[in-house]
Amino acid sequence: MTVRVLLEVDAKPGAGDELVAFFRSILTDTRGFDGCRSVDTLRNGDDADNVVLVEVWESRAHYEKYLAWRQEKGTVERLMEIAAAPPNIRYFDLTDA
């Protein structure tokens, strides 16, 4: 069953453009990673330093494998150089409502 992942990042004050550029530079690989169905990047219209990735994955296990790969490559460490705090990652399942 697919899972929706919301990854929210607050950049350091004034670093919103750098955060968006960072995501732009890595998301081609993300979109090509096994299990990734889609990734959309949203920037908060009221806070330019707040960015949310809305991701659809074949399963949570696929996402967790991807996240481990990103950690191994040092991508998470690079993200933390731009971020004001660790990203907030939430997992959602589609309902029949």
Side-chain angles (χ1 to χ4, degrees):
M1 181 160 87
T2 61
V3 64
R4 272 60 174 177
V5 179
L6 298 184
L7 183 142
E8 183 172 11
V9 181
D10 287 312
K12 291 177 181 170
D17 288 340
E18 183 180 357
L19 181 60
V20 170
F22 171 75
F23 282 128
R24 187 178 300 116
S25 75
I26 69 166
L27 290 179
T28 298
D29 290 339
T30 302
R31 290 180 179 108
F33 200 88
D34 181 45
C36 181
R37 293 198 178 174
S38 67
V39 179
D40 292 313
T41 306
L42 308 176
R43 191 171 195 176
N44 187 328
D46 295 321
D47 179 358
D49 294 329
N50 177 250
V51 175
V52 175
L53 300 185
V54 179
E55 307 176 48
V56 180
W57 289 83
E58 288 182 25
S59 69
R60 186 168 176 162
H62 281 93
Y63 182 77
E64 289 171 348
K65 182 177 178 183
Y66 161 76
L67 188 56
W69 175 74
R70 282 293 185 200
Q71 290 170 332
E72 290 170 11
K73 289 188 61 72
T75 309
V76 175
E77 184 176 308
R78 172 64 181 115
L79 173 62
M80 291 310 304
E81 294 173 3
I82 305 167
N88 181 9
I89 302 173
R90 294 174 284 167
Y91 303 90
F92 294 88
D93 296 320
L94 199 59
T95 71
D96 63 353

